[in-house]
């Protein structure tokens, strides 16, 4: 499970290395903290939030057995409009109704 955040960490490091804040001569650790973190591109800010959520999920007791979801299966990255439900019994219930065709009587 410690390697579950490795991909997003590498993406954040790459994004920070290419940001204007680091290219201006600041350390990446300074750029990720408050006054300078607001100057980061939106993509880097999203990666920072995602990395924080990933690290937080490592100690979340509800995720201890399932583990963090990989970043590639995230619905935001794939663009699928999934509902994000974990259990089938929690969501909306779908009922099926059988419709049978009744032949019309011409004798009536």
């Amino acid at each position: 499970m410690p390697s579950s955040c490795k991909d997003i960490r590498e993406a954040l490091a790459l994004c920070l290395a290419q940001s204007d804040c680091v290219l201006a001569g600041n350390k990446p650790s300074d750029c990720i903290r408050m006054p300078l973190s607001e100057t980061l591109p939106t993509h880097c800010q999203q990666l920072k939030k995602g990395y924080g959520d990933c690290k937080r999920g490592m100690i979340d007791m509800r995720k201890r057995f399932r583990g963090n979801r990989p970043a590639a299966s995230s619905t935001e990255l794939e663009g699928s409009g999934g509902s994000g439900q974990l259990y089938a019994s929690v969501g909306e219930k779908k009922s099926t109704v059988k419709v049978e065709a009744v032949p019309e009587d011409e004798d009536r």
Side-chain angles (χ1 to χ4, degrees):
M1 195 154 106
S3 65
S4 65
C5 299
K6 182 177 70 170
D7 295 335
I8 195 165
R9 182 176 187 259
E10 290 173 0
L12 177 60
L14 182 65
C15 187
L16 280 173
Q18 296 173 349
S19 69
D20 292 336
C21 182
V22 173
L23 294 176
N26 298 315
K27 290 191 273 183
S29 60
D30 293 337
C31 291
I32 210 162
R33 292 196 183 95
M34 246 332 255
L36 294 176
S37 69
E38 296 172 354
T39 64
L40 289 174
T42 307
H43 180 67
C44 292
Q45 291 177 1
Q46 290 171 344
L47 285 172
K48 178 186 170 202
K49 182 180 181 331
Y51 181 64
D53 291 343
C54 183
K55 293 297 274 188
R56 209 170 297 115
M58 290 176 68
I59 59 171
D60 187 3
M61 288 311 228
R62 293 172 290 180
K63 296 181 181 178
R64 295 289 288 175
F65 293 107
R66 287 179 290 193
N68 284 323
R69 290 191 322 185
S73 71
S74 176
T75 57
E76 294 87 22
L77 294 177
E78 293 178 358
S80 64
S83 64
Q85 293 180 353
L86 297 177
Y87 302 102
S89 63
V90 175
E92 63 185 62
K93 296 184 179 185
K94 296 180 181 177
S95 62
T96 57
V97 178
K98 285 188 175 181
V99 178
E100 295 181 13
V102 179
E104 295 182 19
D105 289 335
E106 294 181 11
D107 296 337
R108 287 190 199 179

